Amino acid sequence: MTTADPVAPRARPDSLTARHPRVPASRLLAELVPPRHFARESFDTYEPDGAHPSQREALDRLREVAGALSGPTRSGGAWWRRRAAAQAPAVYLDGGFGVGKTHLLASLAHAVGTERTSYGTFVELTHLVGALGFAATVDALAAKRLVCIDEFELDDPGDTVMMSRLLRELTDRGVAIAATSNTLPESLGEGRFAAEDFLREIQALAARFEVLRIDGEDHRHRAVTTHAATLSAQDVRAVVTGRPGATLDDLDALLEHLATVHPSRYGALLDGIDLVGITGVHQVTAQDVALRLVVLVDRLYDRDVPVVLAAGSGAGATDGADLFTPDMLAGGYRKKYYRALSRLGALAGEGAALVGRD
């Protein structure tokens, strides 16, 4: 008679709080490419809505820009550099949520060539300046033909002034610029206000920018605020335990850890991670803490990493809909918070679908 082998215990999940990534400057620069979410997109995969001709017009114009930038570069003296700077395209994609601005921006980067393009969100580029210093960042980005800036933020005066200066330095060196931004949630469908704000904030450069208006409906038919699917703590632990590439953390411990990691390293914090479990979810009341959480959600979304969430049991516990306070959702950073809620909702939906599959 033989005795069956005992079932091996499932490996305890990893924890983000146990990670302390060290990121060299070369990696920060190498990661300035279109996110995984848009890695395979191109002009050919963008499908303009016939009801909104501006989508086709923007597509056609960006094809022209890509063609102009894809040719060989020339080197020369000061006269040639001034001529190149004057001719470098600068375009701003203006429109509401879900009309394909990021798709088109990533397509432009792919068409010009990722080796000749630096692509990052506004937040990623401000963090790059913080990590490398302003002069080193300018020198590194000036080596490219095109710099793409997604989600240009207009809510932080200091960062906006710094980014305006960065754009001026780059355009003076002949680097082409392409940028996007979103309207605030209460102004959906009124992208012209975002364009006016953008041009006002970069007034020294406004004459160089060509605004490409992109009208249309949100193709994802996504609510501005998405309720993140939440599970029981038991279900969250069950789905992450024994799953390769999964992590499990308590929200308070994770938020405390994020304060010790420079936001430019949040991407590295997720290296090799395919699923993130978070328990004890509750409303975040401190703005600096909330903004760090927003950056983490952005990096999770860029990498298509699903999350599984379990609400806490004490005061302030939430299903995700009330993750940020009403004052935050009405304040100057509200666009960031609405974006994070929407993205977290999408990632939590993917994570909840994993429950019961094992």
Side-chain angles (χ1 to χ4, degrees), residues 251-275:
L251 179 62
D252 281 332
L254 178 58
L255 294 176
E256 184 176 344
H257 182 61
L258 292 180
T260 70
V261 180
H262 192 280
S264 65
R265 300 175 181 174
Y266 285 10
L269 191 68
L270 301 172
D271 281 354
I273 302 303
D274 298 314
L275 176 66

Side-chain angles (χ1 to χ4, degrees), residues 155 184-186 283-288 290-291 321-338 341:
D155 47 24
L184 294 172
E186 66 268 26
Q283 189 171 79
V284 180
T285 58
Q287 185 135 264
D288 58 335
L291 290 173
D322 300 320
L323 188 60
F324 306 115
T325 68
D327 285 346
M328 290 177 184
L329 295 178
Y333 295 110
R334 58 194 181 277
K335 187 174 71 174
K336 294 176 186 284
Y337 295 130
Y338 277 112
L341 288 173

Side-chain angles (χ1 to χ4, degrees), residues 18 40 47 73 76 98 102 106 109 118 129 141 165 190 206 229 237 252 257 272 289 309 315-316 337:
R40 296 185 179 182
E47 299 179 4
T73 57
T102 299
S118 286
V129 173
L141 297 181
R165 181 186 167 201
E190 301 176 358
R237 293 189 183 95
D252 281 332
H257 182 61
V289 176
L309 306 173
Y337 295 130

Side-chain angles (χ1 to χ4, degrees), residues 44-331:
D44 290 338
T45 62
Y46 182 79
E47 299 179 4
D49 185 342
H52 300 282
S54 61
Q55 294 188 12
R56 169 62 67 180
E57 292 166 4
L59 174 63
D60 290 344
R61 175 59 183 136
L62 288 176
R63 287 185 186 273
E64 293 175 355
V65 171
L69 295 176
S70 298
T73 57
R74 287 182 55 183
S75 59
W79 175 85
W80 176 256
R81 288 194 297 273
R82 287 194 299 270
R83 184 171 183 269
Q87 294 180 341
V91 294
Y92 170 75
L93 308 185
D94 173 41
F97 290 98
V99 295
K101 300 187 305 300
T102 299
H103 185 149
L104 287 171
L105 190 69
S107 299
L108 176 62
H110 289 307
V112 174
T114 54
E115 72 285 354
R116 309 171 83 186
T117 302
S118 286
Y119 181 111
T121 65
F122 180 93
V123 171
E124 286 176 313
L125 290 174
T126 57
H127 289 163
L128 183 69
V129 173
L132 302 186
F134 186 84
T137 300
V138 171
D139 288 341
L141 297 181
K144 302 293 185 177
R145 194 78 185 269
L146 169 68
V147 170
C148 294
I149 307 172
D150 200 16
E151 299 167 0
F152 199 100
E153 304 284 6
L154 301 170
D155 47 24
D156 187 307
D159 282 347
T160 303
V161 169
M162 182 271 291
M163 187 59 69
S164 180
R165 181 186 167 201
L166 179 68
L167 295 184
R168 184 172 65 252
E169 295 270 359
L170 292 175
T171 54
D172 285 347
R173 298 196 191 190
V175 179
I177 306 292
T180 77
S181 182
N182 285 319
T183 57
L184 294 172
E186 66 268 26
S187 302
L188 290 177
E190 301 176 358
R192 61 185 177 278
F193 295 122
E196 291 169 1
D197 290 342
F198 174 79
L199 295 176
R200 182 183 64 249
E201 296 296 339
I202 62 160
Q203 52 186 308
L205 293 170
R208 298 193 189 187
F209 271 84
E210 174 186 2
V211 175
L212 301 181
R213 169 77 177 181
I214 306 176
D215 299 294
E217 303 296 326
D218 185 341
H219 74 276
R220 290 162 291 210
H221 303 290
R222 177 186 60 188
V224 172
T225 303
T226 304
H227 287 228
T230 51
L231 310 168
S232 70
Q234 181 179 354
D235 281 342
V236 168
R237 293 189 183 95
V239 76
V240 300
T241 299
R243 182 184 292 269
T247 62
L248 179 63
D249 291 278
D250 172 78
L251 179 62
D252 281 332
L254 178 58
L255 294 176
E256 184 176 344
H257 182 61
L258 292 180
T260 70
V261 180
H262 192 280
S264 65
R265 300 175 181 174
Y266 285 10
L269 191 68
L270 301 172
D271 281 354
I273 302 303
D274 298 314
L275 176 66
V276 166
I278 303 175
T279 58
V281 176
H282 61 81
Q283 189 171 79
V284 180
T285 58
Q287 185 135 264
D288 58 335
V289 176
L291 290 173
R292 284 192 288 268
L293 181 57
V294 166
V295 176
L296 180 66
V297 171
D298 284 341
R299 300 292 79 77
L300 287 165
Y301 186 80
D302 288 345
R303 288 159 175 75
D304 287 329
V305 178
V307 301
V308 282
L309 306 173
S313 56
T318 177
D319 64 355
D322 300 320
L323 188 60
F324 306 115
T325 68
D327 285 346
M328 290 177 184
L329 295 178

